[in-house]
Amino acid sequence: MADEEDPVVHEVDVFISKSLADNLYLLQYPVRPGRMTYDDVDIHSARVKPVQKKVEIECAINTRSPHYAKSKGEQIALNVDGAYGSSTDSLYSSDKMDKQVLTSVSTGDKSGRYAAGIFKDGELHLTPLHAIIQMRPSFAYMDRADQKIKTDVGPAGDGGESSQDEEEDVKPVTVKFAQQESSEAKARRMASFDYLYKKQQEEAWLPLQYHNISTGRAESERLQLYAGKGDELSEFQLQPGEYLQTLMPETDQEQEEKPAMPSNVLSLTQLRTMPLHDQVRTLLTNAKVIRFSQLLALLPQGVDATAVLRSLQQVAVLVQGCWVVKSEILYPKEATSPHSGVSADHLCRGRDYVMWRFTQSRHVTRKDIASIVKLPAEDVKEILEQISHIRVNCGWEFMFTYDSEFTSRYSDIVQRQKMLWEAKYQSLAKQLKIPKEHEKKFKDKDPPLPPGEKPMRRRRNSSRSSTGTRRKRTLSGRSLSDYSDAETDILKQDLENHDDLLSRTEEPMEVSSARSQNMNGTVEVTPNTDCDTNKEENVTESSDFKLEVVNFVRDKLCTRFVVSASELRRLFQMHLAQCPPGHILATGVSDKLLEESVLKVGGVQLENQWPPNTQQEPIYALPKIGDRLDAARAVLLNAFTSSHRINRKQFIKSVEEECGIVLSDQDTKLLLKDYCAQKGNSWMLKGTIPAT
């Protein structure tokens, strides 16, 4: 049925040309209008660095143009070369700045996704691009001018003159022996700007010969964009049987060497060709944290659970009933931190301490962790994001809830892992020099317990000072002094917005501090019930949270101009999927907050007409952006209050009558494309077009 409604009306043959695939560059000029090309500009020279894909073009400047500032050009030439004719290595050939250098800036390694195409005689010829670069003016001549000033002044400020009669002072020579460079220092040196800049300068420039677009050589090079007989693919010359054999080869004929998958993608087909131990290791390395039931679901059916547990204990440790990959697997001995260059030993100790903390508590704070492990903030954050996610007003919470199903079924493994963690902590306490009072500070504060098991509670009267002052508390009942991470600022703002919080401290407060023991006698922790009842109003009242939503809505309205409520919600979900774990928006956002954000950034909800048999919903638009066409935008949006379709000529006439503005074809096309979509000879508002 779909084929009958949307038939194929024309087919085009596509050819791949590889003649210029290794040398075809796409040059973009973002700082120059499209109407001002370099076709008629005199090009002095050009050069390239093939490895870095860097290009420089030296082109002439028309010094006779009425737009050329003669005084400025003479001043620049004087600063760079000095008086005209006084030097043999002058940069400019006259007493003015008569040329400029365009240097390339990489746009990222995306050239493999694009190709240059030519459509001719019903055929489309494509040539893959080798690189996409942006050409921008170079200001290296300013460095040359600064160097000339320093040379003229001289090191002692005496104009560069030195007495040849004065004998040089005899100075003692100090000999220093280079120390052996550590792996951490080497990693930092290789990641420094000076080292990378030096490596870039080591590649030599290769001179190029420039040919104008209208020359015969340029025309002959463009002919290579068409695919010839030598570019035909042999795969398309196969017989039908051979073609099917190529598509679906037999198992024993498959190549043993398979292409490597991206680091964040795991192929289950390739996974099941590995031994069981390698499968478990690969899954844990990719997932970082996993439940035992999830691991069995990913492994082949019928696998022996005992064998899985045997392999699992070699590559992972037990935390709150879940399995977390060992630190030495993620950070081998020769590895270093990509952020700071810290060695693998320091990273393993820091990560092991974080995992041990999660065996004692559902939540941790980054400030407490950083004060013990002494790692840079980027490394601490990366470790926390691997096994936990941030919770507003609570800090970092372990990734999964307590897996009581596993702990009740495999009590012997739980007891063995508990003993392992006790020995591990004794080693960490010596290496990290953890004070004993620090352990007592948090050990009974927030113990993890299986879901459904309530912690023992005790009553405690509200604390008051001798002067009658009350201790400020948050909506969850916790004191501001209990928070040591960056969440304190959010809590203080919540206190300012809720004056009735002080009265709550007069009531008795329940605090859970007792541990509960399971049938094996192991200590298990319960989640903080205050954090689990994380209410939406506490999230949306955060100024950082609202600011993040407002920035998102502003970005979408400024690029789309018109968006429906459902489309805005879909875009938010896509944005949320791209955010890292623990992002401030991870708790979600309500439709009401999205609508408030639209109004806050200057958007409006339209009262537009809808096509027949179309489900109606709110439509938001940005009526003003601060340019001369704002009045025409208002006329355009107002036209849809009386009809769901408008005519181009009618819109131009309405703008001229109501605003006195005569729209050009370019302005009209710009406005209509920003807010509308063309359907036949008329235009409809975006978001109101019925799905086909």
Side-chain angles (χ1 to χ4, degrees):
M1 186 66 181
D3 294 339
E4 296 178 0
E5 295 178 354
D6 190 14
V8 177
V9 297
H10 186 62
E11 293 183 355
V12 177
D13 294 331
V14 180
F15 298 88
I16 304 296
S17 174
K18 299 181 180 180
S19 301
L20 300 177
D22 296 333
N23 298 298
L24 187 59
Y25 287 70
L26 175 63
L27 273 60
Q28 300 175 341
Y29 301 90
V31 298
R32 193 175 178 95
R35 65 180 183 277
M36 298 176 62
T37 65
Y38 286 94
D39 296 344
D40 299 329
V41 176
D42 185 16
I43 305 298
H44 291 173
S45 63
R47 54 183 184 172
V48 63
K49 286 187 176 182
V51 177
Q52 302 178 34
K53 300 178 181 179
K54 189 173 182 179
V55 178
E56 281 192 358
I57 300 176
E58 186 179 287
C59 53
I61 298 178
N62 184 12
T63 58
R64 299 181 179 180
S65 171
H67 305 291
Y68 181 80
K70 184 177 179 181
S71 59
K72 290 292 184 181
E74 292 176 348
Q75 184 63 43
I76 293 175
L78 181 63
N79 294 339
V80 174
D81 296 336
Y84 179 62
S86 61
S87 177
T88 57
D89 59 342
S90 300
L91 180 64
Y92 303 114
S93 58
S94 65
D95 59 345
K96 304 181 186 66
M97 180 181 179
D98 52 10
K99 65 179 180 181
Q100 68 171 343
V101 177
L102 302 177
T103 186
S104 62
V105 178
S106 176
T107 59
D109 190 12
K110 300 179 180 179
S111 55
R113 300 171 48 189
Y114 297 94
I118 296 181
F119 187 78
K120 184 179 181 182
D121 299 333
E123 298 175 348
L124 179 60
H125 297 259
L126 299 177
T127 301
L129 291 174
H130 182 64
I132 301 177
I133 55 179
Q134 293 183 349
M135 305 300 295
R136 299 175 182 270
S138 172
F139 299 96
Y141 61 87
M142 300 181 69
D143 298 334
R144 177 165 174 160
D146 293 340
Q147 185 64 30
K148 184 177 182 304
I149 294 175
K150 294 178 181 179
T151 304
D152 294 341
V153 173
D158 56 355
E161 298 178 359
S162 61
S163 175
Q164 298 180 356
D165 298 334
E166 295 181 0
E167 296 182 359
E168 296 182 356
D169 295 337
V170 179
K171 297 181 180 179
V173 178
T174 304
V175 180
K176 294 183 179 180
F177 296 93
Q179 298 180 356
Q180 185 177 1
E181 189 178 27
S182 63
S183 58
E184 178 180 346
K186 182 178 179 181
R188 291 182 177 177
R189 178 176 60 83
M190 296 181 66
S192 64
F193 172 79
D194 293 338
Y195 179 82
L196 297 177
Y197 180 76
K198 182 179 179 181
K199 295 293 291 183
Q200 291 179 357
Q201 296 301 314
E202 288 179 356
E203 184 182 2
W205 286 101
L206 298 181
L208 299 176
Q209 186 175 0
Y210 175 80
H211 298 275
N212 193 275
I213 189 174
S214 59
T215 59
R217 179 62 182 273
E219 182 65 27
S220 63
E221 290 292 328
R222 283 195 295 271
L223 291 177
Q224 298 187 46
L225 296 175
Y226 296 95
K229 293 184 178 181
D231 296 319
E232 295 180 358
L233 299 178
S234 59
E235 289 81 359
F236 294 99
Q237 307 298 325
L238 301 176
Q239 297 298 325
E242 297 176 350
Y243 180 66
L244 291 177
Q245 182 68 20
T246 305
L247 288 178
M248 296 179 294
E250 297 180 3
T251 306
D252 55 355
Q253 295 181 355
E254 291 184 356
Q255 296 181 356
E256 295 183 359
E257 294 184 1
K258 299 181 180 180
M261 298 291 290
S263 59
N264 60 338
V265 177
L266 182 62
S267 171
L268 292 180
T269 303
Q270 295 185 14
L271 180 71
R272 292 175 180 176
T273 61
M274 305 177 184
L276 179 61
H277 178 77
D278 293 341
Q279 292 186 44
V280 174
R281 181 188 179 99
T282 304
L283 285 171
L284 263 295
T285 304
N286 280 266
K288 308 294 188 301
V289 184
I290 196 170
R291 295 176 180 270
F292 185 67
S293 58
Q294 295 174 336
L295 181 62
L296 292 179
L298 293 172
L299 294 173
Q301 294 183 356
V303 67
D304 186 11
T306 304
V308 175
L309 285 171
R310 190 180 303 113
S311 300
L312 194 57
Q313 295 178 71
Q314 298 177 14
V315 298
V317 291
L318 191 67
V319 178
Q320 299 189 24
C322 305
W323 290 96
V324 185
V325 64
K326 289 185 176 180
S327 301
E328 51 266 28
I329 294 180
L330 288 183
Y331 305 112
K333 290 185 178 181
E334 66 278 2
T336 56
S337 169
H339 305 291
S340 59
V342 175
S343 64
D345 292 338
H346 291 81
L347 293 174
C348 289
R349 286 198 294 266
R351 189 174 183 272
D352 288 342
Y353 176 75
V354 172
M355 290 190 294
W356 179 83
R357 283 289 299 270
F358 277 119
T359 64
Q360 307 296 315
S361 174
R362 282 290 299 171
H363 305 86
V364 300
T365 57
R366 187 167 63 176
K367 186 176 181 179
D368 286 345
I369 296 296
S371 65
I372 297 297
V373 299
K374 302 297 190 299
L375 289 176
E378 296 85 354
D379 295 325
V380 176
K381 183 179 180 182
E382 181 181 8
I383 292 173
L384 288 172
E385 287 178 344
Q386 292 175 1
I387 59 179
S388 61
H389 53 261
I390 196 168
R391 290 289 298 271
V392 177
N393 299 345
C394 297
W396 292 83
E397 183 183 45
F398 189 68
M399 187 73 69
F400 297 125
T401 57
Y402 192 94
D403 191 353
S404 56
E405 179 183 356
F406 178 85
T407 56
S408 60
R409 180 178 298 183
Y410 302 99
S411 58
D412 54 338
I413 295 180
V414 174
Q415 186 66 23
R416 193 180 307 124
Q417 289 289 317
K418 178 189 175 185
M419 296 173 61
L420 184 148
W421 274 120
E422 290 177 352
K424 174 67 73 173
Y425 177 73
Q426 297 301 325
S427 176
L428 290 174
K430 294 180 180 179
Q431 295 174 347
L432 299 176
K433 300 179 181 179
I434 304 176
K436 292 184 178 180
E437 57 271 14
H438 183 80
E439 177 184 354
K440 297 178 181 179
K441 177 181 178 182
F442 60 82
K443 201 164 186 178
D444 295 336
K445 186 177 180 181
D446 186 20
L449 282 176
E453 186 172 343
K454 297 182 179 180
M456 298 176 59
R457 298 181 180 270
R458 62 179 179 177
R459 307 290 291 185
R460 187 181 71 180
N461 293 331
S462 59
S463 59
R464 297 172 181 266
S465 64
S466 57
T467 58
T469 58
R470 300 183 180 92
R471 190 182 183 192
K472 288 189 176 181
R473 298 191 175 274
T474 63
L475 291 176
S476 61
R478 299 171 64 186
S479 171
L480 281 176
S481 61
D482 295 336
Y483 295 87
S484 57
D485 207 353
E487 298 91 354
T488 308
D489 295 336
I490 300 177
L491 297 177
K492 289 181 178 180
Q493 183 175 359
D494 290 340
L495 285 173
E496 294 174 358
N497 296 334
H498 296 80
D499 297 331
D500 61 330
L501 289 178
L502 293 176
S503 61
R504 299 188 183 184
T505 59
E506 298 177 358
E507 302 175 2
M509 188 175 103
E510 295 182 351
V511 178
S512 63
S513 61
R515 302 184 187 180
S516 67
Q517 298 183 349
N518 63 3
M519 57 184 296
N520 305 309
T522 58
V523 179
E524 302 170 352
V525 222
T526 181
N528 189 331
T529 55
D530 293 333
C531 294
D532 291 339
T533 57
N534 187 14
K535 298 181 180 180
E536 182 180 357
E537 55 265 26
N538 290 343
V539 177
T540 56
E541 285 175 1
S542 169
S543 59
D544 293 340
F545 182 87
K546 285 187 176 182
L547 181 61
E548 192 75 19
V549 177
V550 168
N551 291 336
F552 163 78
V553 172
R554 179 185 292 110
D555 177 63
K556 297 307 174 185
L557 271 185
C558 291
T559 55
R560 295 175 176 262
F561 297 99
V562 177
V563 62
S564 62
S566 60
E567 178 68 8
L568 188 60
R569 168 63 63 178
R570 186 187 69 84
L571 293 173
F572 177 79
Q573 296 297 337
M574 293 176 58
H575 174 72
L576 192 60
Q578 298 174 358
C579 294
H583 194 268
I584 191 173
L585 295 179
T587 53
V589 62
S590 63
D591 293 337
K592 180 180 179 182
L593 183 57
L594 286 175
E595 181 179 352
E596 293 175 353
S597 301
V598 169
L599 301 178
K600 186 172 294 186
V601 300
V604 295
Q605 180 176 343
L606 301 179
E607 299 179 357
N608 57 287
Q609 297 296 320
W610 288 83
N613 303 324
T614 305
Q615 184 177 0
Q616 301 183 14
E617 60 176 326
I619 299 291
Y620 306 116
L622 190 65
K624 296 181 180 181
I625 63 174
D627 61 1
R628 59 184 179 83
L629 298 179
D630 282 347
R633 290 185 178 89
V635 174
L636 176 62
L637 296 177
N638 186 57
F640 287 104
T641 60
S642 57
S643 175
H644 68 277
R645 290 176 177 266
I646 65 170
N647 182 271
R648 177 189 178 99
K649 294 183 179 179
Q650 181 183 357
F651 166 61
I652 297 175
K653 183 178 179 181
S654 299
V655 172
E656 185 175 358
E657 292 177 352
E658 298 182 21
C659 306
I661 301 175
V662 179
L663 293 177
S664 63
D665 292 340
Q666 183 177 359
D667 291 340
T668 305
K669 184 178 180 180
L670 177 65
L671 289 173
L672 291 176
K673 283 194 172 184
D674 285 345
Y675 292 87
C676 311
Q678 189 172 10
K679 297 292 289 185
N681 295 328
S682 59
W683 295 78
M684 297 180 62
L685 190 66
K686 290 181 181 179
T688 63
I689 303 176
T692 55

